Amino acid sequence: MESDSEMVALPLLPIPIESNYRACTIPYRFPSDNPRKATPTEISWIDLFSNSIPSFKERAESDTSVPDAPVRAEKFAQRYAEILEDLKKDPESHGGPPDCILLCRIREVILRELGFRDIFKKVKDEENAKAISLFPEVVRLSDAIDDEGKRIENLVRGIFAGNIFDLGSAQLAEVFSKDGMSFLASCQNLVSRPWVIDDLDNFQARWAKKPWKKAVIFVDNSGADIILGILPFAREMLRRGMQVVLAANELPSINDVTYTELAGILSKLKDENGQLMGVDTSNLLIANSGNDLPVIDLARVSQEVAYLSTDADLVILEGMGRGIETNLYAQFKCDSLKIGMVKHTEVAQFLGGRLYDCVIKYNEVQS
């Protein structure tokens, strides 16, 4: 499923990794729970994944690259639903007990075994084209803000607005299929501050004090998320003289951007001098994270990302899957930023916030 070369731990994680890191924010169960009986939390998360089956099935049915797509899509829906029911009856079946990584992995394994490689490709391509056309305007609006602190807040709000494009959320998939999503309207309509986790002021203060030398950003979705959210933010870092590594999935998963897709997007956005709206991109690198899921276990990344991370002094995990569901409490040897929008009721309840609330969690390592 994953990269051919051996996966390694991100060198920015504190060691020993076994006792210091686990890629799971929300505990689905505790040691005192009966191993043979699904916990209420496990059941609610299994139901959440079950509710997404119809939208995945619909995408799979219309995948023209796969022969007999409707028949195979039906098989996917049946097989995944059966496995989810099995996990409710016996949480230790199918490699359980379940967590969000296992539930995502089983879904991807079934799709790939049935010949589906990238069921969201069409919608990703459409959204990327739309976002590319809006990119210059978004950057111009940002550059027009003279006050640096306000500009950073504007860029952060752009990341939240872009992060709404998430077809792994059944509710958002439904909204999206009805009338699409407007990036600028989303920027305007974010829930009010303070957000459920709101370290924006601290992050702005640290940004103003002295810039970091190198940031590694684990990116999330295609479309507005990467193009109108992350890239303007990364461009601002390049303007500050930072090196920026954008780490994207090796293989497709939901509407997440892959590293090959990201390279293609950047080639369309850069001018003939290799600049991004007047900013030199020689310090911008795109890396293959080795990942193939919408969540990430940083104990298993590609050697390429591990090598590029060794001298980073800021790691950013963006999106609900990477930044909230698997790594919200992850500790690093350097400064870290977890940023994303809450798009599942279960996550909102766990954090004590609102649906579509925002998370910006900044941890500064005292040197």
Side-chain angles (χ1 to χ4, degrees), residues 148-165:
E148 191 173 45
K150 287 182 179 160
R151 193 163 66 248
I152 298 309
E153 178 171 354
N154 178 65
L155 289 163
V156 163
R157 286 176 176 275
I159 293 175
F160 291 134
N163 196 228
I164 293 175
F165 177 52

Side-chain angles (χ1 to χ4, degrees), residues 103-120:
L103 295 171
C104 287
R105 175 151 311 287
I106 292 170
R107 183 174 63 196
E108 293 297 339
V109 167
I110 298 168
L111 284 167
R112 287 170 194 160
E113 282 178 351
L114 287 164
F116 294 107
R117 287 288 168 267
D118 192 358
I119 61 173
F120 290 86

